[in-house]
Amino acid sequence: MSIRPSVQRFIEYLRIKTVQPTPDYSTCTKFLQQQALELGLKFQVKEFVAGKPVVILSWAGTSPELPSIILNSHTDVVPVFEEFWDYPPFEARRVPTDPQGSDYKIYARGSQDMKIVGHGYLEAIRRLKVEEKRQLLRTVHAVFVPDEEIGGHDGMQQFVESPEFAALNAGLALDEGMANPDKPLRVFYGERAPCWVKFIARGNTGHGSQFIEGTAAEKLVPIIDHLMQFRQTQFQIYKTPHEDGSQRTLGEVTTANLTLLKSGVQQNVVPENATAGFDIRMTPAVDYVGFKRDLEALAEKHGAETEFVQFWDDNSTTATDESNPFWPAFEQAVTAQGFDVFKEIFPAATDSRYLRRAGVPALGVTPLCNAPILLHDHNEYVKESEFLAAIDFYAAVIAAVANVH
């Protein structure tokens, strides 16, 4: 059975080893340049950090003075443990789902996260611009950024602070979402913010057989207890359904997990210092700066210090009502395709946070419903039918939002 050209191009993209920590951005950029050539799109490459290209493919609208549409995706993917994969993770092998070959699973790292999105944009543009010869009101920029999987600091963070980004005059951005094992389409209008904090205590030392007062552990334990109690309170909120009986999502609560404990050099020596590290993800309902002050006060109360390994101070979200002029067009395009929209706060972090902080409304959506969540997992795959449906999805959504007057 022959492979559709769109699927073949998708497979070619999946085979590019843009895997951290040494992603092949050069080959990826050449692939995207070829797509731009075929589609008649303006092609730009900007490196704000050497070797980490931001690639922009632009389709000019009939009213280019209007704020543009950003179609954002990251090109890098997370590392793999090949011994746990049934097929080579960068072969993008098509495996029939049944003896008749009615559908195929395409196994590849990055298939869900998030090359189905990035290449879905390009195939949607190919359909609208090349095949259907359509013209859209607003300019559309397909943006491919590096290093999202390691924080986006050398990619999107640098990009949104640049004159090149300002020149795009962005009005709305689409970005990655997440698969849903259930029917509704998850649409993310905000995300939880990372607060990675270390509490460092120092105290008296001595022989392990003595009652030594003012030890590092004595200072650290109450801090750990406080945050573990906070964790339990948030967990109880998470487990408590809404009044209508619907389950809460992770995005509605703040999670706190003890991820690092470090102290001691020998069993019979009371350590001079002790460190506890927490991975906290703050829901946008929280005053982030106030939350940070509370952690600093907690440490000071018990004679410890804080080190914020990562902290995000902006809790901007995107309006999902008529106050956002793009939302009605987006929602109508989605529901017309039979999707039920489920609006949600993303439980982790994506590059959308940089866009929202820059004042650009951003919606995260990956059109995978009734599909397992496989991002960062072994044997990551998407079905061929899901990829083809994603092209339909993005063609409709791009046309809708880019034609908002």
Side-chain angles (χ1 to χ4, degrees):
M1 180 180 178
S2 61
I3 302 177
R4 297 179 188 230
S6 59
V7 174
Q8 188 59 58
R9 287 186 290 267
F10 182 43
I11 288 173
E12 184 180 352
Y13 187 34
L14 292 171
R15 286 176 174 169
I16 302 170
K17 296 183 69 173
T18 49
V19 59
Q20 293 290 356
T22 55
D24 182 3
Y25 288 138
S26 177
T27 301
C28 184
T29 300
K30 291 175 184 176
F31 170 81
L32 294 172
Q33 186 173 22
Q34 178 60 35
Q35 302 306 303
L37 182 64
E38 293 178 11
L39 298 175
L41 303 177
K42 180 182 176 182
F43 180 80
Q44 302 177 71
V45 181
K46 304 293 181 182
E47 288 191 2
F48 303 98
V49 174
K52 299 185 177 185
V54 173
V55 180
I56 308 165
L57 287 71
S58 301
W59 178 13
T62 57
S63 296
E65 72 280 1
L66 293 175
S68 67
I69 306 299
I70 302 291
L71 308 177
N72 185 63
S73 69
H74 62 83
T75 54
D76 63 320
V77 302
V78 295
V80 297
F81 299 93
E82 293 197 32
E83 64 270 25
F84 297 109
W85 283 67
D86 294 335
Y87 307 96
F90 295 100
E91 183 182 311
R93 185 178 301 184
R94 295 169 73 238
V95 178
T97 58
D98 56 45
Q100 293 73 38
S102 60
D103 201 355
Y104 294 83
K105 292 179 179 179
I106 304 175
Y107 286 88
R109 172 58 86 224
S111 52
Q112 274 200 9
D113 183 16
M114 62 172 294
K115 290 185 175 180
I116 186 177
V117 175
H119 198 71
Y121 295 153
L122 295 180
E123 292 298 335
I125 292 173
R126 184 181 296 270
R127 176 180 299 176
L128 294 170
K129 184 177 186 294
V130 178
E131 297 173 8
E132 298 180 1
K133 312 293 185 186
R134 295 179 64 175
Q135 288 185 303
L136 304 181
L137 189 66
R138 296 172 184 264
T139 295
V140 174
H141 303 286
V143 177
F144 295 82
V145 295
D147 280 19
E148 189 275 345
E149 295 293 4
I150 55 173
H153 307 296
D154 292 342
M156 182 58 83
Q157 183 176 9
Q158 298 279 339
F159 181 43
V160 298
E161 297 171 356
S162 70
E164 290 85 354
F165 178 80
L168 298 184
N169 187 26
L172 175 73
L174 300 182
D175 201 352
E176 66 181 315
M178 189 185 297
N180 190 359
D182 296 321
K183 181 183 177 183
L185 178 75
R186 305 170 80 177
V187 177
F188 297 95
Y189 61 94
E191 56 192 62
R192 297 194 302 173
C195 174
W196 295 357
V197 58
K198 290 181 181 179
F199 295 92
I200 303 146
R202 294 179 174 85
N204 296 322
T205 185
H207 199 283
S209 64
Q210 305 299 305
F211 280 119
I212 298 170
E213 297 185 272
T215 65
E218 287 178 295
K219 298 175 181 179
L220 196 61
V221 166
I223 296 172
I224 295 173
D225 286 344
H226 180 93
L227 284 170
M228 295 307 286
Q229 290 170 9
F230 171 78
R231 180 185 189 276
Q232 187 61 29
T233 300
Q234 291 292 300
F235 189 36
Q236 289 301 319
I237 294 172
Y238 173 65
K239 292 192 295 184
T240 303
H242 293 286
E243 291 184 1
D244 63 3
S246 61
Q247 178 59 48
R248 296 181 189 273
T249 65
L250 276 176
E252 298 175 68
V253 295
T254 296
T255 54
N257 285 294
L258 178 61
T259 55
L260 175 69
L261 276 174
K262 183 180 179 182
S263 185
V265 293
Q266 188 170 300
Q267 193 74 33
N268 62 348
V269 178
V270 175
E272 181 273 335
N273 63 78
T275 299
F278 281 85
D279 180 342
I280 303 172
R281 306 298 175 110
M282 304 174 292
T283 180
V286 168
D287 175 356
Y288 293 166
V289 175
F291 188 85
K292 182 182 181 184
R293 284 197 298 264
D294 290 344
L295 294 177
E296 291 169 333
L298 175 65
E300 184 178 1
K301 176 182 177 181
H302 296 287
E305 303 169 2
T306 54
E307 176 188 337
F308 289 89
V309 179
Q310 187 175 165
F311 180 79
W312 187 255
D313 62 359
D314 180 78
N315 61 352
S316 300
T317 57
T318 297
T320 55
D321 56 28
E322 292 188 356
S323 66
N324 176 356
F326 295 100
W327 176 256
F330 173 87
E331 186 176 38
Q332 183 176 2
V334 168
T335 55
Q337 297 179 74
F339 290 104
D340 297 322
V341 173
F342 184 76
K343 295 182 281 189
E344 194 174 344
I345 296 294
F346 200 83
T350 73
D351 277 342
S352 287
R353 70 188 187 276
Y354 298 117
L355 291 158
R356 294 190 186 102
R357 186 168 67 176
V360 179
L363 297 171
V365 56
T366 298
L368 290 171
C369 301
N370 298 309
I373 299 172
L374 297 173
L375 66 168
H376 299 198
D377 204 350
H378 312 310
N379 290 320
E380 182 182 356
Y381 73 84
V382 296
K383 292 181 180 177
E384 191 168 301
S385 59
E386 292 170 336
F387 170 67
L388 295 172
I391 300 172
D392 297 337
F393 175 86
Y394 285 119
V397 168
I398 292 167
V401 296
N403 279 325
V404 171
H405 286 80

